[in-house]
Amino acid sequence: MMKTSRAVIVTCLLTLAALNCVSAIEEINSIKDLKRIYSNKSLPMHSLTLLHWFANNVDIGTNNVVRLSFNPNRDFGSHRYCNYERLLPSAPQGYQFYTVGNVNQPPGDIDRKFPEYVLYPRVRESRGTGRNRDRIIVSVQAQTVSQVYLTQHFRQEDNRGSEYDRDHTFNISTNLLQQLRQFSFNDNTQSLQELRDQFDQHITDNQLNDLINISGRDQAPLELLYLIVVPQRINLVEVCRPNRRWA
């Protein structure tokens, strides 16, 4: 009887440990959190571009309900994710996990018929560089999203196959998606100044003007997001000023 009780206790402890391991996924709730994550973790800019792309390819209702604007079974190379390695907490009943972000997926009919359904060039530029590791995983039921995660595959040299790296997996809040949507592509200089003032007042007017001149007004919101989240890129803007011979 005592052996049985011990076995039950051990089983319960192991179950609790597994549940804690699955649930211990850090949430990114704001751009301020993004800055902290990028300063503490080794994350490629590709993952930030992927997040920006996702935030601007979903619909968010007034009640903060997130809905996909694309087919997770097909568009952008997205497909089912079964969570076999228990990377994530179980999806709510009736929801299924899908993953998106693989730039090596061959173009489908949706790409040819609707070019606007192709991932950003900046997302796809990782093709062939060995950096095609970042993914977004969502739990979806009838286009309604209940959970959003940013993750990445292990490196090839880690010999972990197609597993995802738990240490680089984050829960993405609706609030962060709303903030990222403020950086949608546009040519409104005034809105860029307002975003700078809201999220990073250390970026000077000269740096903002250099950014616009280098990237173009319509692409500047994404470049501004880069500068806010990864301030070290300001040095790159300084180097690439248009009035320099080798810009």
Side-chain angles (χ1 to χ4, degrees):
M1 182 69 178
M2 185 175 295
K3 290 182 178 180
T4 302
S5 299
R6 287 179 178 174
V8 171
I9 293 173
V10 170
T11 301
C12 290
L13 289 174
L14 290 174
T15 301
L16 287 173
L19 289 174
N20 287 334
C21 186
V22 169
S23 61
I25 296 179
E26 185 173 1
E27 181 180 60
I28 307 180
N29 187 52
S30 65
I31 287 178
K32 181 178 180 180
D33 288 344
L34 263 183
K35 293 176 66 174
R36 175 176 51 80
I37 294 296
Y38 271 79
S39 65
N40 295 336
K41 297 277 188 178
S42 176
L43 296 177
M45 297 304 298
H46 173 256
S47 62
L48 181 56
T49 313
L50 187 61
L51 269 179
H52 182 272
W53 170 86
F54 181 81
N56 286 279
N57 277 275
V58 297
D59 299 318
I60 303 179
T62 54
N63 53 357
N64 282 335
V65 173
V66 179
R67 291 182 58 83
L68 294 183
S69 60
F70 59 91
N71 186 340
N73 284 298
R74 177 189 63 193
D75 300 347
F76 310 114
S78 55
H79 58 84
R80 281 282 306 278
Y81 168 67
C82 296
N83 198 28
Y84 288 136
E85 67 267 43
R86 293 179 55 80
L87 172 76
L88 308 173
S90 299
Q93 185 174 3
Y95 285 75
Q96 294 179 335
F97 285 121
Y98 294 86
T99 179
V100 63
N102 185 357
V103 299
N104 288 334
Q105 288 285 345
D109 289 340
I110 195 72
D111 295 37
R112 289 189 288 269
K113 294 179 181 178
F114 305 98
E116 66 272 19
Y117 270 46
V118 178
L119 290 166
Y120 292 168
R122 290 268 178 102
V123 178
R124 295 173 70 94
E125 71 184 4
S126 294
R127 182 192 304 272
T129 66
R131 299 176 183 176
N132 179 28
R133 296 163 51 203
D134 312 292
R135 299 290 186 273
I136 286 177
I137 298 177
V138 293
S139 60
V140 181
Q141 182 187 53
Q143 298 298 106
T144 299
V145 177
S146 69
Q147 300 160 307
V148 180
Y149 298 96
L150 176 68
T151 187
Q152 65 181 32
H153 287 294
F154 284 99
R155 299 171 302 173
Q156 289 184 351
E157 53 265 37
D158 293 326
N159 295 317
R160 300 289 294 270
S162 60
E163 288 184 50
Y164 289 111
D165 184 350
R166 186 184 303 277
D167 290 338
H168 291 81
T169 300
F170 307 94
N171 186 6
I172 304 301
S173 73
T174 304
N175 182 66
L176 175 59
L177 294 178
Q178 292 276 31
Q179 290 187 359
L180 291 173
R181 286 165 67 86
Q182 296 182 58
F183 293 82
S184 60
F185 292 126
N186 63 73
D187 57 1
N188 189 338
T189 303
Q190 180 63 35
S191 68
L192 289 177
Q193 295 172 339
E194 293 172 352
L195 286 172
R196 185 272 313 270
D197 294 342
Q198 179 180 353
F199 293 107
D200 192 338
Q201 297 181 12
H202 293 98
I203 298 174
T204 67
D205 288 340
N206 285 337
Q207 290 167 339
L208 189 61
N209 289 332
D210 289 340
L211 178 68
I212 294 172
N213 291 331
I214 292 168
S215 61
R217 292 181 182 274
D218 58 335
Q219 297 288 321
L222 179 57
E223 295 290 342
L224 177 60
L225 178 64
Y226 291 159
L227 258 62
I228 291 172
V229 175
V230 187
Q232 297 88 332
R233 286 179 67 91
I234 288 178
N235 295 330
L236 184 61
V237 171
E238 296 287 347
V239 167
C240 294
R241 280 186 176 179
N243 60 353
R244 298 209 174 184
R245 281 183 54 194
W246 51 282

Short mmCIF file of all heavy atoms in Angstrom, two decimals, residues 18-26 81-92 96-99 135-139 147-152 164-166 168-172:
data_model
loop_
_atom_site.label_atom_id
_atom_site.label_comp_id
_atom_site.label_asym_id
_atom_site.label_seq_id
_atom_site.Cartn_x
_atom_site.Cartn_y
_atom_site.Cartn_z
N ALA A 18 5.70 18.83 -15.20
CA ALA A 18 5.50 18.96 -16.65
C ALA A 18 4.57 20.11 -16.97
O ALA A 18 4.81 20.89 -17.91
CB ALA A 18 4.93 17.65 -17.21
N LEU A 19 3.50 20.27 -16.18
CA LEU A 19 2.57 21.36 -16.41
C LEU A 19 3.22 22.70 -16.19
O LEU A 19 3.02 23.65 -16.95
CB LEU A 19 1.34 21.21 -15.49
CG LEU A 19 0.39 20.05 -15.82
CD1 LEU A 19 -0.69 19.94 -14.75
CD2 LEU A 19 -0.24 20.25 -17.19
N ASN A 20 4.03 22.80 -15.13
CA ASN A 20 4.74 24.05 -14.87
C ASN A 20 5.70 24.37 -16.00
O ASN A 20 5.86 25.52 -16.39
CB ASN A 20 5.51 23.96 -13.54
CG ASN A 20 4.58 24.02 -12.34
OD1 ASN A 20 3.49 24.58 -12.44
ND2 ASN A 20 5.00 23.44 -11.23
N CYS A 21 6.36 23.34 -16.53
CA CYS A 21 7.32 23.54 -17.61
C CYS A 21 6.62 24.08 -18.85
O CYS A 21 7.09 24.99 -19.51
CB CYS A 21 8.03 22.23 -17.92
SG CYS A 21 9.35 22.39 -19.14
N VAL A 22 5.43 23.51 -19.15
CA VAL A 22 4.68 23.94 -20.33
C VAL A 22 4.15 25.35 -20.15
O VAL A 22 4.15 26.15 -21.07
CB VAL A 22 3.54 22.94 -20.62
CG1 VAL A 22 2.60 23.50 -21.68
CG2 VAL A 22 4.11 21.61 -21.07
N SER A 23 3.68 25.66 -18.93
CA SER A 23 3.03 26.95 -18.72
C SER A 23 4.02 28.09 -18.53
O SER A 23 3.64 29.25 -18.58
CB SER A 23 2.10 26.87 -17.49
OG SER A 23 2.85 26.56 -16.33
N ALA A 24 5.28 27.77 -18.27
CA ALA A 24 6.27 28.81 -17.98
C ALA A 24 6.77 29.45 -19.27
O ALA A 24 7.95 29.39 -19.60
CB ALA A 24 7.42 28.24 -17.18
N ILE A 25 5.87 30.05 -20.03
CA ILE A 25 6.22 30.75 -21.27
C ILE A 25 6.03 32.23 -21.02
O ILE A 25 4.95 32.68 -20.64
CB ILE A 25 5.37 30.27 -22.45
CG1 ILE A 25 5.66 28.80 -22.74
CG2 ILE A 25 5.63 31.12 -23.68
CD1 ILE A 25 4.86 28.24 -23.88
N GLU A 26 7.08 32.99 -21.22
CA GLU A 26 7.04 34.42 -20.93
C GLU A 26 6.13 35.15 -21.90
O GLU A 26 6.15 34.88 -23.11
CB GLU A 26 8.46 34.99 -21.00
CG GLU A 26 8.55 36.44 -20.60
CD GLU A 26 9.98 36.93 -20.54
OE1 GLU A 26 10.90 36.11 -20.83
OE2 GLU A 26 10.20 38.11 -20.21
N TYR A 81 0.10 22.37 -36.58
CA TYR A 81 1.18 22.05 -35.64
C TYR A 81 0.56 21.23 -34.52
O TYR A 81 -0.42 21.64 -33.89
CB TYR A 81 1.81 23.33 -35.09
CG TYR A 81 2.73 23.09 -33.91
CD1 TYR A 81 3.93 22.40 -34.07
CD2 TYR A 81 2.39 23.55 -32.63
CE1 TYR A 81 4.76 22.16 -32.99
CE2 TYR A 81 3.24 23.32 -31.56
CZ TYR A 81 4.41 22.64 -31.74
OH TYR A 81 5.24 22.40 -30.68
N CYS A 82 1.12 20.05 -34.27
CA CYS A 82 0.49 19.09 -33.36
C CYS A 82 0.99 19.18 -31.92
O CYS A 82 0.44 18.50 -31.04
CB CYS A 82 0.68 17.67 -33.89
SG CYS A 82 -0.13 17.39 -35.48
N ASN A 83 2.01 19.97 -31.65
CA ASN A 83 2.49 20.17 -30.28
C ASN A 83 2.89 18.86 -29.61
O ASN A 83 2.69 18.66 -28.40
CB ASN A 83 1.40 20.87 -29.44
CG ASN A 83 1.94 21.50 -28.16
OD1 ASN A 83 3.10 21.89 -28.09
ND2 ASN A 83 1.09 21.59 -27.16
N TYR A 84 3.47 17.94 -30.40
CA TYR A 84 3.86 16.64 -29.85
C TYR A 84 4.86 16.76 -28.72
O TYR A 84 4.83 15.99 -27.76
CB TYR A 84 4.44 15.75 -30.96
CG TYR A 84 3.43 15.25 -31.96
CD1 TYR A 84 3.70 15.26 -33.33
CD2 TYR A 84 2.21 14.74 -31.53
CE1 TYR A 84 2.77 14.79 -34.25
CE2 TYR A 84 1.27 14.28 -32.45
CZ TYR A 84 1.56 14.31 -33.80
OH TYR A 84 0.64 13.85 -34.71
N GLU A 85 5.79 17.73 -28.83
CA GLU A 85 6.82 17.86 -27.80
C GLU A 85 6.33 18.65 -26.59
O GLU A 85 7.12 18.97 -25.70
CB GLU A 85 8.08 18.51 -28.38
CG GLU A 85 7.95 19.96 -28.79
CD GLU A 85 7.58 20.14 -30.25
OE1 GLU A 85 6.70 19.41 -30.74
OE2 GLU A 85 8.17 21.01 -30.90
N ARG A 86 5.02 18.98 -26.56
CA ARG A 86 4.42 19.72 -25.44
C ARG A 86 5.13 21.04 -25.20
O ARG A 86 5.37 21.45 -24.05
CB ARG A 86 4.41 18.86 -24.17
CG ARG A 86 3.48 17.66 -24.25
CD ARG A 86 3.53 16.83 -22.96
NE ARG A 86 3.25 17.63 -21.79
CZ ARG A 86 2.04 17.99 -21.39
NH1 ARG A 86 0.97 17.61 -22.09
NH2 ARG A 86 1.87 18.72 -20.29
N LEU A 87 5.45 21.70 -26.28
CA LEU A 87 6.07 23.01 -26.18
C LEU A 87 5.10 24.01 -25.55
O LEU A 87 5.50 24.85 -24.72
CB LEU A 87 6.48 23.50 -27.57
CG LEU A 87 6.97 24.94 -27.68
CD1 LEU A 87 8.40 25.05 -27.14
CD2 LEU A 87 6.91 25.42 -29.13
N LEU A 88 3.83 23.92 -25.92
CA LEU A 88 2.83 24.90 -25.54
C LEU A 88 1.76 24.29 -24.65
O LEU A 88 1.53 23.07 -24.69
CB LEU A 88 2.17 25.49 -26.78
CG LEU A 88 3.10 26.03 -27.86
CD1 LEU A 88 2.30 26.42 -29.09
CD2 LEU A 88 3.89 27.22 -27.33
N PRO A 89 1.09 25.11 -23.83
CA PRO A 89 -0.10 24.61 -23.13
C PRO A 89 -1.13 24.15 -24.15
O PRO A 89 -1.15 24.61 -25.29
CB PRO A 89 -0.59 25.83 -22.36
CG PRO A 89 0.57 26.76 -22.29
CD PRO A 89 1.37 26.53 -23.53
N SER A 90 -1.98 23.23 -23.76
CA SER A 90 -2.99 22.70 -24.68
C SER A 90 -3.86 23.83 -25.21
O SER A 90 -4.19 24.78 -24.48
CB SER A 90 -3.86 21.66 -23.97
OG SER A 90 -3.08 20.57 -23.53
N ALA A 91 -4.21 23.73 -26.47
CA ALA A 91 -5.12 24.71 -27.06
C ALA A 91 -6.51 24.54 -26.45
O ALA A 91 -6.89 23.44 -26.04
CB ALA A 91 -5.19 24.51 -28.58
N PRO A 92 -7.30 25.61 -26.35
CA PRO A 92 -8.67 25.48 -25.84
C PRO A 92 -9.47 24.47 -26.65
O PRO A 92 -9.15 24.20 -27.82
CB PRO A 92 -9.23 26.90 -26.00
CG PRO A 92 -8.03 27.79 -26.03
CD PRO A 92 -6.95 26.99 -26.70
N GLN A 96 -7.23 24.51 -32.81
CA GLN A 96 -6.09 23.75 -33.31
C GLN A 96 -4.92 24.69 -33.55
O GLN A 96 -5.10 25.86 -33.92
CB GLN A 96 -6.45 23.02 -34.62
CG GLN A 96 -7.51 21.95 -34.44
CD GLN A 96 -7.88 21.27 -35.75
OE1 GLN A 96 -7.73 21.85 -36.83
NE2 GLN A 96 -8.35 20.04 -35.67
N PHE A 97 -3.72 24.16 -33.35
CA PHE A 97 -2.51 24.95 -33.56
C PHE A 97 -2.11 24.94 -35.04
O PHE A 97 -2.20 23.91 -35.71
CB PHE A 97 -1.34 24.40 -32.74
CG PHE A 97 -1.41 24.73 -31.27
CD1 PHE A 97 -1.43 23.72 -30.32
CD2 PHE A 97 -1.43 26.04 -30.84
CE1 PHE A 97 -1.48 24.01 -28.97
CE2 PHE A 97 -1.48 26.35 -29.49
CZ PHE A 97 -1.50 25.32 -28.55
N TYR A 98 -1.65 26.10 -35.50
CA TYR A 98 -1.08 26.23 -36.85
C TYR A 98 0.21 27.03 -36.74
O TYR A 98 0.35 27.89 -35.86
CB TYR A 98 -2.05 26.95 -37.79
CG TYR A 98 -3.32 26.17 -38.06
CD1 TYR A 98 -4.40 26.28 -37.21
CD2 TYR A 98 -3.43 25.34 -39.17
CE1 TYR A 98 -5.57 25.56 -37.44
CE2 TYR A 98 -4.60 24.62 -39.42
CZ TYR A 98 -5.65 24.74 -38.54
OH TYR A 98 -6.80 24.02 -38.77
N THR A 99 1.13 26.77 -37.65
CA THR A 99 2.40 27.50 -37.67
C THR A 99 2.57 28.20 -39.01
O THR A 99 2.14 27.69 -40.05
CB THR A 99 3.59 26.54 -37.41
OG1 THR A 99 4.80 27.28 -37.47
CG2 THR A 99 3.65 25.43 -38.44
N ARG A 135 9.20 31.22 -36.21
CA ARG A 135 7.82 30.86 -36.55
C ARG A 135 6.85 31.55 -35.61
O ARG A 135 7.18 31.87 -34.45
CB ARG A 135 7.60 29.33 -36.43
CG ARG A 135 8.45 28.48 -37.35
CD ARG A 135 8.06 28.61 -38.81
NE ARG A 135 8.80 27.67 -39.63
CZ ARG A 135 10.00 27.91 -40.15
NH1 ARG A 135 10.60 29.08 -39.92
NH2 ARG A 135 10.62 27.01 -40.88
N ILE A 136 5.64 31.74 -36.11
CA ILE A 136 4.51 32.13 -35.26
C ILE A 136 3.55 30.96 -35.22
O ILE A 136 3.23 30.37 -36.25
CB ILE A 136 3.82 33.39 -35.82
CG1 ILE A 136 4.71 34.61 -35.56
CG2 ILE A 136 2.45 33.58 -35.17
CD1 ILE A 136 4.17 35.89 -36.12
N ILE A 137 3.14 30.59 -34.01
CA ILE A 137 2.17 29.51 -33.81
C ILE A 137 0.90 30.12 -33.24
O ILE A 137 0.97 30.90 -32.27
CB ILE A 137 2.73 28.42 -32.88
CG1 ILE A 137 3.98 27.78 -33.49
CG2 ILE A 137 1.67 27.35 -32.61
CD1 ILE A 137 4.63 26.74 -32.59
N VAL A 138 -0.22 29.78 -33.81
CA VAL A 138 -1.51 30.31 -33.34
C VAL A 138 -2.47 29.15 -33.10
O VAL A 138 -2.41 28.12 -33.77
CB VAL A 138 -2.13 31.29 -34.36
CG1 VAL A 138 -1.30 32.54 -34.47
CG2 VAL A 138 -2.28 30.64 -35.74
N SER A 139 -3.35 29.31 -32.12
CA SER A 139 -4.45 28.36 -31.94
C SER A 139 -5.70 29.01 -32.52
O SER A 139 -6.03 30.16 -32.20
CB SER A 139 -4.65 28.02 -30.46
OG SER A 139 -4.96 29.16 -29.71
N GLN A 147 -4.68 32.12 -29.02
CA GLN A 147 -3.31 32.20 -28.52
C GLN A 147 -2.36 32.49 -29.67
O GLN A 147 -2.56 31.98 -30.78
CB GLN A 147 -2.90 30.88 -27.84
CG GLN A 147 -3.76 30.48 -26.65
CD GLN A 147 -3.64 28.99 -26.36
OE1 GLN A 147 -3.83 28.17 -27.26
NE2 GLN A 147 -3.33 28.64 -25.13
N VAL A 148 -1.35 33.30 -29.40
CA VAL A 148 -0.31 33.61 -30.39
C VAL A 148 1.05 33.43 -29.72
O VAL A 148 1.28 33.96 -28.62
CB VAL A 148 -0.44 35.05 -30.93
CG1 VAL A 148 0.65 35.33 -31.96
CG2 VAL A 148 -1.81 35.29 -31.53
N TYR A 149 1.93 32.70 -30.38
CA TYR A 149 3.27 32.47 -29.83
C TYR A 149 4.31 32.80 -30.90
O TYR A 149 4.11 32.51 -32.09
CB TYR A 149 3.45 31.01 -29.40
CG TYR A 149 2.52 30.58 -28.29
CD1 TYR A 149 1.32 29.93 -28.59
CD2 TYR A 149 2.83 30.82 -26.95
CE1 TYR A 149 0.46 29.54 -27.58
CE2 TYR A 149 1.98 30.43 -25.94
CZ TYR A 149 0.79 29.80 -26.26
OH TYR A 149 -0.07 29.41 -25.25
N LEU A 150 5.42 33.37 -30.45
CA LEU A 150 6.61 33.52 -31.28
C LEU A 150 7.63 32.50 -30.81
O LEU A 150 7.89 32.39 -29.60
CB LEU A 150 7.19 34.93 -31.14
CG LEU A 150 8.51 35.20 -31.88
CD1 LEU A 150 8.29 35.18 -33.39
CD2 LEU A 150 9.12 36.53 -31.44
N THR A 151 8.19 31.74 -31.74
CA THR A 151 9.16 30.71 -31.35
C THR A 151 10.20 30.57 -32.45
O THR A 151 10.17 31.31 -33.45
CB THR A 151 8.45 29.36 -31.09
OG1 THR A 151 9.39 28.42 -30.56
CG2 THR A 151 7.82 28.81 -32.35
N GLN A 152 11.11 29.64 -32.28
CA GLN A 152 12.09 29.37 -33.32
C GLN A 152 12.60 27.95 -33.19
O GLN A 152 12.62 27.38 -32.10
CB GLN A 152 13.27 30.35 -33.25
CG GLN A 152 14.13 30.25 -32.00
CD GLN A 152 15.26 31.28 -31.98
OE1 GLN A 152 15.13 32.38 -32.50
NE2 GLN A 152 16.38 30.91 -31.39
N TYR A 164 11.15 22.92 -31.55
CA TYR A 164 11.22 24.34 -31.25
C TYR A 164 11.96 24.56 -29.93
O TYR A 164 11.90 23.73 -29.02
CB TYR A 164 9.82 24.96 -31.18
CG TYR A 164 9.14 25.06 -32.52
CD1 TYR A 164 8.04 24.25 -32.82
CD2 TYR A 164 9.59 25.94 -33.48
CE1 TYR A 164 7.40 24.35 -34.04
CE2 TYR A 164 8.97 26.04 -34.71
CZ TYR A 164 7.87 25.24 -34.98
OH TYR A 164 7.25 25.33 -36.21
N ASP A 165 12.61 25.70 -29.84
CA ASP A 165 13.43 26.05 -28.68
C ASP A 165 12.55 26.73 -27.62
O ASP A 165 12.08 27.85 -27.82
CB ASP A 165 14.54 27.00 -29.12
CG ASP A 165 15.51 27.33 -28.01
OD1 ASP A 165 15.24 26.99 -26.84
OD2 ASP A 165 16.55 27.96 -28.30
N ARG A 166 12.32 26.04 -26.50
CA ARG A 166 11.46 26.58 -25.46
C ARG A 166 12.01 27.88 -24.88
O ARG A 166 11.25 28.78 -24.50
CB ARG A 166 11.29 25.54 -24.33
CG ARG A 166 10.29 25.96 -23.25
CD ARG A 166 10.24 24.93 -22.14
NE ARG A 166 9.92 23.61 -22.66
CZ ARG A 166 8.68 23.19 -22.91
NH1 ARG A 166 7.67 24.02 -22.68
NH2 ARG A 166 8.46 21.99 -23.36
N HIS A 168 13.34 30.22 -26.37
CA HIS A 168 13.07 31.32 -27.29
C HIS A 168 11.63 31.25 -27.79
O HIS A 168 11.34 31.52 -28.96
CB HIS A 168 14.05 31.30 -28.47
CG HIS A 168 15.45 31.62 -28.09
ND1 HIS A 168 16.31 30.70 -27.54
CD2 HIS A 168 16.15 32.79 -28.15
CE1 HIS A 168 17.47 31.26 -27.29
NE2 HIS A 168 17.41 32.54 -27.66
N THR A 169 10.72 30.90 -26.87
CA THR A 169 9.29 30.83 -27.17
C THR A 169 8.56 31.81 -26.26
O THR A 169 8.78 31.81 -25.05
CB THR A 169 8.75 29.41 -26.96
OG1 THR A 169 9.44 28.51 -27.83
CG2 THR A 169 7.25 29.34 -27.25
N PHE A 170 7.69 32.64 -26.84
CA PHE A 170 7.04 33.71 -26.09
C PHE A 170 5.56 33.79 -26.44
O PHE A 170 5.17 33.59 -27.60
CB PHE A 170 7.70 35.06 -26.39
CG PHE A 170 9.19 35.06 -26.18
CD1 PHE A 170 10.06 34.82 -27.25
CD2 PHE A 170 9.73 35.28 -24.93
CE1 PHE A 170 11.43 34.81 -27.07
CE2 PHE A 170 11.11 35.26 -24.74
CZ PHE A 170 11.96 35.03 -25.81
N ASN A 171 4.77 34.10 -25.44
CA ASN A 171 3.34 34.32 -25.63
C ASN A 171 3.13 35.77 -26.05
O ASN A 171 3.56 36.69 -25.34
CB ASN A 171 2.61 34.02 -24.31
CG ASN A 171 1.10 34.09 -24.46
OD1 ASN A 171 0.58 34.26 -25.55
ND2 ASN A 171 0.40 33.98 -23.35
N ILE A 172 2.48 35.99 -27.17
CA ILE A 172 2.28 37.34 -27.71
C ILE A 172 0.87 37.81 -27.36
O ILE A 172 -0.11 37.17 -27.72
CB ILE A 172 2.47 37.35 -29.24
CG1 ILE A 172 3.85 36.80 -29.61
CG2 ILE A 172 2.28 38.76 -29.78
CD1 ILE A 172 5.01 37.54 -29.02
#
